[in-house]
Amino acid sequence: MRRTDPEDHGPVRYGPHLPDDGLPVLPELSAVLAAAAGRPGEEPVGGGPALIEAARGYWARRALPADPDRVAAGPGAPSLLLALTAALGGDVLVPRPCAAWWAPYARLLGRPAFHVATPAECGGVPDPYALLETVRRVRAEGGDPRLLVLSVADDPTATVAPPELLHETVEAAEGEGLHLVSDETWRDTLHDPHDTVLLSPAEMLPDRVTVVTDLAGALLPPGWPAAVARFPAAHTGEALHARVLDVLTALGARVAAPVAAAAAYALGEPEPVTGRRDTAVRLHARVAAAVHAAAVSAGALSRPPQAGRHLYVDLGELRSALGAHGVGDAQELEDFLTARLGMPAPGGHRFGDDLGALRVRLSTGPLLAGTDEERTECLTSPAPLELPHVQRALISLRSVFDDLRDDAQRWEPPR
């Protein structure tokens, strides 16, 4: 991670990657990749028949059926979002905060990206009234908002938008004629799937929503880039699909053949894949809950994590203690916590949040890091948080937060 100008905290150009799972590659996936490694040909732009059919099956099992000519694959979600942004034209709207890789693709194309406030209960989805006001203001200033990018299961906040709120936001977007891109990378990583209701905007507004899923969220290792997009069934979806393929062709954005084979296998959701996914989700949910408890007990604010391998923490209540360490903004907080924790702690400014707000995204994967044997043991142990290497990592993290809490209490003025 880099910032453009270390002196004045200039525009952030390089954001953090998707949170890693810190676990070994599933052997069955490795075998599929290895078996396809000798293929001399390349995948077609947009994905070959096997990958497209696997993606269709994946979405059909989630009540989102799609015809083959409404599905495309690319080497990671960023390439698909870039192609969609180029194909749709106009200005882009994103929630504040949002995934670090959303806004840079609009800027790369010379398009403004306008951040819209999110409601108190979740991130990833704009507040509907704030959305309407932002659209009105942008148009009044001569802008042309056309695209809203949102995420029901969110990076960075790890929250899941309630269906009623999502419905209000989707209705507002429809009324303003916006096309929606729903980033559903983390939809299969719900920490409590029985008590958390996740609906896709494509279920509510089928003619104006394109769904994008990066398989690094739940199905593939992050180093094997592959993502799939599902386009609307209406005529607009056909035209958009064609334009996106044109952009992907111009970029040479093809999924590597061995990765495409592994992606098709994973999207088919055989038992080894679903078993590993479910085990990994439960593991990261436990680690995220422990990190959340440590942060909150120290006086920080954080919504309880509901999905993914991360959580979003606001340390504004500890500003006095952090100030004693020379920390006054999100970049300085990132530098401070990264050094103290020994793991990446990207500041909220990388996700479109205010630089002056003391917020960071913490990931659970680095807390599982160790030897191959230790990482494998995390998957099989009935008490993974008690494994020595995980316990040491959590004790170190709690110590950092506890020290900040104690410092803040010493700096409190007498009452």
Side-chain angles (χ1 to χ4, degrees):
M1 297 182 293
R2 295 171 50 193
R3 60 173 176 250
T4 303
D5 187 335
E7 297 300 324
D8 64 5
H9 307 332
V12 175
R13 296 184 184 274
Y14 303 97
H17 299 293
L18 288 176
D20 194 358
D21 66 1
L23 300 171
V25 177
L26 181 69
E28 288 82 356
L29 278 177
S30 295
V32 172
L33 186 84
R39 295 182 184 177
E42 60 182 15
E43 283 283 296
V45 170
L51 181 53
I52 295 301
E53 192 59 31
R56 291 182 64 219
Y58 170 86
W59 276 313
R61 291 189 292 275
R62 288 154 180 80
L64 294 172
D67 293 333
D69 60 354
R70 296 296 192 278
V71 177
S79 63
L80 293 175
L81 183 59
L82 174 63
L84 282 162
T85 306
L88 286 163
D91 301 337
V92 180
L93 301 166
V94 295
R96 182 190 298 274
C98 68
W101 53 274
W102 289 358
Y105 289 93
R107 293 198 296 266
L108 183 64
L109 295 167
R111 310 275 173 73
F114 296 94
H115 289 268
V116 186
T118 53
E121 58 263 45
C122 68
V125 174
D127 177 89
Y129 299 103
L131 175 63
L132 292 172
E133 175 58 24
T134 302
V135 170
R136 184 202 63 77
R137 176 175 55 82
V138 171
R139 286 180 176 152
E141 295 173 356
D144 181 21
R146 297 188 197 176
L147 170 62
L148 169 63
V149 187
L150 49 74
S151 182
V152 181
D154 184 43
D155 173 16
T157 65
T159 57
V160 176
E164 58 275 13
L165 169 67
L166 178 65
H167 190 268
E168 292 177 7
T169 299
V170 167
E171 276 193 336
E174 180 185 23
E176 296 299 330
L178 302 177
H179 188 92
L180 279 67
V181 169
S182 177
D183 176 9
E184 300 187 4
T185 295
W186 301 106
R187 70 166 295 154
D188 295 325
T189 66
L190 299 185
H191 295 178
D192 190 351
H194 299 293
D195 288 338
T196 305
V197 178
L198 184 149
L199 291 180
S200 170
E203 298 178 66
M204 302 177 179
L205 192 61
D207 293 343
R208 300 191 71 87
V209 178
T210 299
V211 177
V212 172
T213 299
D214 196 306
L215 303 192
L219 296 175
L220 289 182
W224 301 5
V228 287
R230 175 194 179 273
F231 295 83
H235 176 70
T236 54
E238 178 183 359
L240 181 58
H241 178 265
R243 292 198 298 272
V244 164
L245 291 185
D246 286 343
V247 177
L248 294 175
T249 300
L251 295 173
R254 292 178 169 86
V255 182
V259 174
Y265 173 76
L267 284 165
E269 299 183 290
E271 193 284 327
V273 170
T274 56
R276 163 60 74 85
R277 180 189 64 202
D278 294 346
T279 300
V281 168
R282 288 193 296 269
L283 171 62
H284 284 283
R286 296 175 73 172
V287 178
V291 176
H292 179 263
V296 171
S297 67
L301 303 177
S302 176
R303 300 184 185 98
Q306 297 175 286
R309 303 188 286 263
H310 52 278
L311 65 162
Y312 202 57
V313 181
D314 185 338
L315 287 90
E317 296 295 317
L318 303 174
R319 184 176 290 275
S320 60
L322 289 164
H325 294 282
V327 175
D329 63 25
Q331 180 61 65
E332 292 165 349
L333 179 61
E334 173 184 310
D335 296 340
F336 174 78
L337 285 182
T338 297
R340 289 294 182 96
L341 297 174
M343 57 183 267
H349 61 304
R350 298 188 181 274
F351 307 99
D353 223 333
D354 294 331
L355 178 63
L358 297 178
R359 301 184 185 119
V360 293
R361 186 191 72 184
L362 300 178
S363 299
T364 53
L367 298 169
L368 305 175
T371 65
D372 288 344
E373 292 77 12
E374 288 173 333
R375 291 185 296 143
T376 299
E377 194 176 5
C378 289
L379 292 165
T380 58
S381 172
L385 302 191
E386 297 176 12
L387 294 173
H389 75 287
V390 178
Q391 195 172 53
R392 285 194 300 270
L394 288 173
I395 289 172
S396 176
L397 181 140
R398 292 189 192 104
S399 176
V400 170
F401 279 112
D402 288 346
D403 287 347
L404 288 174
R405 177 198 59 206
D406 295 342
D407 289 346
Q409 290 173 350
R410 283 195 292 269
W411 280 88
E412 279 187 359
R415 297 182 180 179

